[in-house]
Amino acid sequence: MPIIVNLDVMMAKRKMSLNELSEKVGLTLSNLSILKTGKAKAIRFSTLEAICKVLDCQPADILEYQNE
């Protein structure tokens, strides 16, 4: 898939665990894990906004397009 999810990279930069992010964003661990591993088929803008707010980043820091 040409969309790469760099959530784990941003979490590492902010020294934040998946549990902590889950609590702050209000998503289940399983949903965040699906997103983090790149297995998600879609993401809501409200979810992306909440993650960006907590990690103090831009959507482009989390999502990347890579031409195959």
Side-chain angles (χ1 to χ4, degrees):
M1 176 184 270
I3 301 294
I4 308 299
V5 180
N6 294 315
L7 182 58
D8 54 345
V9 174
M10 286 309 299
M11 288 171 52
K13 285 182 180 179
R14 303 296 188 252
K15 296 182 171 100
M16 190 173 293
S17 69
L18 197 60
N19 285 332
E20 187 178 354
L21 183 62
S22 172
E23 289 174 11
K24 291 184 177 187
V25 173
L27 288 175
T28 64
L29 279 173
S30 59
N31 284 340
L32 271 179
S33 181
I34 289 168
L35 180 61
K36 185 178 135 186
T37 58
K39 294 180 181 176
K41 299 290 182 196
I43 183 171
R44 292 177 186 243
F45 282 150
S46 58
T47 301
L48 185 59
E49 178 184 1
I51 291 171
C52 287
K53 187 179 287 188
V54 169
L55 293 177
D56 189 30
C57 66
Q58 295 294 313
D61 295 327
I62 297 171
L63 301 175
E64 173 186 346
Y65 173 75
Q66 198 170 66
N67 196 1
E68 290 184 317

